mmCIF file with all atom_site columns, all heavy atoms in Angstrom:
data_model
loop_
_atom_site.group_PDB
_atom_site.id
_atom_site.type_symbol
_atom_site.label_atom_id
_atom_site.label_alt_id
_atom_site.label_comp_id
_atom_site.label_asym_id
_atom_site.label_entity_id
_atom_site.label_seq_id
_atom_site.pdbx_PDB_ins_code
_atom_site.Cartn_x
_atom_site.Cartn_y
_atom_site.Cartn_z
_atom_site.occupancy
_atom_site.B_iso_or_equiv
_atom_site.pdbx_formal_charge
_atom_site.auth_seq_id
_atom_site.auth_comp_id
_atom_site.auth_asym_id
_atom_site.auth_atom_id
_atom_site.pdbx_PDB_model_num
ATOM 1  N N   . LEU A 1 32  ? -7.830  16.462  -46.303 1.00 98.00 ? 112 LEU A N   1
ATOM 2  C CA  . LEU A 1 32  ? -7.883  17.024  -44.955 1.00 98.00 ? 112 LEU A CA  1
ATOM 3  C C   . LEU A 1 32  ? -7.624  18.515  -45.040 1.00 98.00 ? 112 LEU A C   1
ATOM 4  O O   . LEU A 1 32  ? -6.597  18.951  -45.571 1.00 98.00 ? 112 LEU A O   1
ATOM 5  C CB  . LEU A 1 32  ? -6.849  16.367  -44.043 1.00 98.00 ? 112 LEU A CB  1
ATOM 6  C CG  . LEU A 1 32  ? -7.241  15.054  -43.380 1.00 98.00 ? 112 LEU A CG  1
ATOM 7  C CD1 . LEU A 1 32  ? -6.064  14.491  -42.591 1.00 98.00 ? 112 LEU A CD1 1
ATOM 8  C CD2 . LEU A 1 32  ? -8.441  15.239  -42.457 1.00 98.00 ? 112 LEU A CD2 1
ATOM 9  N N   . PRO A 1 90  ? -22.489 21.599  -47.501 1.00 82.00 ? 170 PRO A N   1
ATOM 10 C CA  . PRO A 1 90  ? -22.291 21.962  -48.921 1.00 82.00 ? 170 PRO A CA  1
ATOM 11 C C   . PRO A 1 90  ? -20.841 22.276  -49.268 1.00 82.00 ? 170 PRO A C   1
ATOM 12 O O   . PRO A 1 90  ? -20.460 22.207  -50.441 1.00 82.00 ? 170 PRO A O   1
ATOM 13 C CB  . PRO A 1 90  ? -23.187 23.190  -49.104 1.00 82.00 ? 170 PRO A CB  1
ATOM 14 C CG  . PRO A 1 90  ? -23.432 23.708  -47.735 1.00 82.00 ? 170 PRO A CG  1
ATOM 15 C CD  . PRO A 1 90  ? -23.420 22.513  -46.838 1.00 82.00 ? 170 PRO A CD  1
ATOM 16 N N   . GLY A 1 201 ? 16.503  -0.789  -7.645  1.00 98.00 ? 281 GLY A N   1
ATOM 17 C CA  . GLY A 1 201 ? 15.097  -0.668  -7.262  1.00 98.00 ? 281 GLY A CA  1
ATOM 18 C C   . GLY A 1 201 ? 14.092  -1.102  -8.298  1.00 98.00 ? 281 GLY A C   1
ATOM 19 O O   . GLY A 1 201 ? 12.905  -1.223  -7.984  1.00 98.00 ? 281 GLY A O   1
ATOM 20 N N   . THR A 1 227 ? 13.399  4.651   -19.439 1.00 98.00 ? 307 THR A N   1
ATOM 21 C CA  . THR A 1 227 ? 14.459  5.643   -19.519 1.00 98.00 ? 307 THR A CA  1
ATOM 22 C C   . THR A 1 227 ? 13.842  7.033   -19.605 1.00 98.00 ? 307 THR A C   1
ATOM 23 O O   . THR A 1 227 ? 12.639  7.191   -19.865 1.00 98.00 ? 307 THR A O   1
ATOM 24 C CB  . THR A 1 227 ? 15.342  5.419   -20.752 1.00 98.00 ? 307 THR A CB  1
ATOM 25 O OG1 . THR A 1 227 ? 14.568  5.699   -21.935 1.00 98.00 ? 307 THR A OG1 1
ATOM 26 C CG2 . THR A 1 227 ? 15.865  3.980   -20.806 1.00 98.00 ? 307 THR A CG2 1
ATOM 27 N N   . GLU A 1 233 ? 8.926   10.382  -24.587 1.00 98.00 ? 313 GLU A N   1
ATOM 28 C CA  . GLU A 1 233 ? 8.097   9.874   -25.678 1.00 98.00 ? 313 GLU A CA  1
ATOM 29 C C   . GLU A 1 233 ? 6.662   9.655   -25.218 1.00 98.00 ? 313 GLU A C   1
ATOM 30 O O   . GLU A 1 233 ? 5.698   10.021  -25.918 1.00 98.00 ? 313 GLU A O   1
ATOM 31 C CB  . GLU A 1 233 ? 8.693   8.569   -26.206 1.00 98.00 ? 313 GLU A CB  1
ATOM 32 C CG  . GLU A 1 233 ? 7.905   7.956   -27.352 1.00 98.00 ? 313 GLU A CG  1
ATOM 33 C CD  . GLU A 1 233 ? 8.484   6.631   -27.811 1.00 98.00 ? 313 GLU A CD  1
ATOM 34 O OE1 . GLU A 1 233 ? 9.558   6.227   -27.304 1.00 98.00 ? 313 GLU A OE1 1
ATOM 35 O OE2 . GLU A 1 233 ? 7.850   5.986   -28.674 1.00 98.00 ? 313 GLU A OE2 1
ATOM 36 N N   . PRO A 1 252 ? 5.427   9.282   2.033   1.00 98.00 ? 332 PRO A N   1
ATOM 37 C CA  . PRO A 1 252 ? 6.602   8.655   2.624   1.00 98.00 ? 332 PRO A CA  1
ATOM 38 C C   . PRO A 1 252 ? 6.483   7.138   2.765   1.00 98.00 ? 332 PRO A C   1
ATOM 39 O O   . PRO A 1 252 ? 7.440   6.482   3.140   1.00 98.00 ? 332 PRO A O   1
ATOM 40 C CB  . PRO A 1 252 ? 6.687   9.317   3.992   1.00 98.00 ? 332 PRO A CB  1
ATOM 41 C CG  . PRO A 1 252 ? 5.271   9.648   4.345   1.00 98.00 ? 332 PRO A CG  1
ATOM 42 C CD  . PRO A 1 252 ? 4.584   9.968   3.044   1.00 98.00 ? 332 PRO A CD  1
ATOM 43 N N   . ASP A 1 425 ? -14.961 -18.902 -11.940 1.00 91.00 ? 505 ASP A N   1
ATOM 44 C CA  . ASP A 1 425 ? -14.112 -18.838 -13.124 1.00 91.00 ? 505 ASP A CA  1
ATOM 45 C C   . ASP A 1 425 ? -13.352 -17.518 -13.234 1.00 91.00 ? 505 ASP A C   1
ATOM 46 O O   . ASP A 1 425 ? -12.443 -17.409 -14.061 1.00 91.00 ? 505 ASP A O   1
ATOM 47 C CB  . ASP A 1 425 ? -14.953 -19.012 -14.400 1.00 91.00 ? 505 ASP A CB  1
ATOM 48 C CG  . ASP A 1 425 ? -15.406 -20.453 -14.595 1.00 91.00 ? 505 ASP A CG  1
ATOM 49 O OD1 . ASP A 1 425 ? -14.785 -21.344 -13.980 1.00 91.00 ? 505 ASP A OD1 1
ATOM 50 O OD2 . ASP A 1 425 ? -16.365 -20.678 -15.341 1.00 91.00 ? 505 ASP A OD2 1
ATOM 51 N N   . GLU A 1 443 ? -21.837 7.298   -9.540  1.00 98.00 ? 523 GLU A N   1
ATOM 52 C CA  . GLU A 1 443 ? -22.042 8.745   -9.596  1.00 98.00 ? 523 GLU A CA  1
ATOM 53 C C   . GLU A 1 443 ? -20.883 9.450   -8.893  1.00 98.00 ? 523 GLU A C   1
ATOM 54 O O   . GLU A 1 443 ? -20.706 9.306   -7.684  1.00 98.00 ? 523 GLU A O   1
ATOM 55 C CB  . GLU A 1 443 ? -23.367 9.146   -8.960  1.00 98.00 ? 523 GLU A CB  1
ATOM 56 C CG  . GLU A 1 443 ? -23.590 10.651  -8.831  1.00 98.00 ? 523 GLU A CG  1
ATOM 57 C CD  . GLU A 1 443 ? -23.334 11.415  -10.120 1.00 98.00 ? 523 GLU A CD  1
ATOM 58 O OE1 . GLU A 1 443 ? -23.871 11.005  -11.176 1.00 98.00 ? 523 GLU A OE1 1
ATOM 59 O OE2 . GLU A 1 443 ? -22.579 12.415  -10.076 1.00 98.00 ? 523 GLU A OE2 1
ATOM 60 N N   . ARG A 1 515 ? -15.504 -2.937  -31.952 1.00 98.00 ? 595 ARG A N   1
ATOM 61 C CA  . ARG A 1 515 ? -14.374 -2.005  -31.993 1.00 98.00 ? 595 ARG A CA  1
ATOM 62 C C   . ARG A 1 515 ? -13.208 -2.544  -31.164 1.00 98.00 ? 595 ARG A C   1
ATOM 63 O O   . ARG A 1 515 ? -12.050 -2.508  -31.603 1.00 98.00 ? 595 ARG A O   1
ATOM 64 C CB  . ARG A 1 515 ? -14.801 -0.639  -31.466 1.00 98.00 ? 595 ARG A CB  1
ATOM 65 C CG  . ARG A 1 515 ? -15.902 0.051   -32.261 1.00 98.00 ? 595 ARG A CG  1
ATOM 66 C CD  . ARG A 1 515 ? -16.258 1.404   -31.656 1.00 98.00 ? 595 ARG A CD  1
ATOM 67 N NE  . ARG A 1 515 ? -17.454 1.963   -32.302 1.00 98.00 ? 595 ARG A NE  1
ATOM 68 C CZ  . ARG A 1 515 ? -18.550 2.344   -31.660 1.00 98.00 ? 595 ARG A CZ  1
ATOM 69 N NH1 . ARG A 1 515 ? -18.622 2.256   -30.331 1.00 98.00 ? 595 ARG A NH1 1
ATOM 70 N NH2 . ARG A 1 515 ? -19.579 2.828   -32.328 1.00 98.00 ? 595 ARG A NH2 1
#
Side-chain angles (χ1 to χ4, degrees):
L112 276 176
T307 68
E313 180 183 355
D505 286 341
E523 173 50 50
R595 298 180 189 125

